[in-house]
Amino acid sequence: QLQLVESGGGLVQAGGSLRLSCAASGRTFSNYAMGWFRQAPGKEREFVARIRWSGSSERYADSVKGRFTISRDNARNTVYLQMNSLKPEDTAVYYCAAGVAGVAGVAGTYDYWGQGTQVTVSS
């Protein structure tokens, strides 16, 4: 069973940066897609970014394109989300997800989810 654990969230000022990590343990699959989603108070969970373990291309939500960067370290089974130029509207719980058939923008296509890490951006 695949387990995902997010870390790196916190409180930052607008314009600041954070780097989130998603560490995978248990049975892992090199062909999985890895995604980041977020959920703000009173809103639905929304897509942020996606990468594949191999043969990958990156996909981003329009709201974060040019500010966030998703990357991976296959040897450590870890995916990262570098978040720059943070805005108050980025405030949310950020979730890591994995799925063999994961599709950018579609949360229901992911099979495994982490517990989430809080990101708060003050104005």
Side-chain angles (χ1 to χ4, degrees), residues 98-109:
V100 67
V103 177
V106 185
T109 62

Side-chain angles (χ1 to χ4, degrees), residues 80-104:
Y80 305 95
L81 185 68
Q82 179 66 46
M83 309 164 66
N84 298 326
S85 302
L86 283 162
K87 305 174 180 179
E89 51 262 46
D90 295 318
T91 296
V93 177
Y94 283 70
Y95 296 91
C96 179
V100 67
V103 177

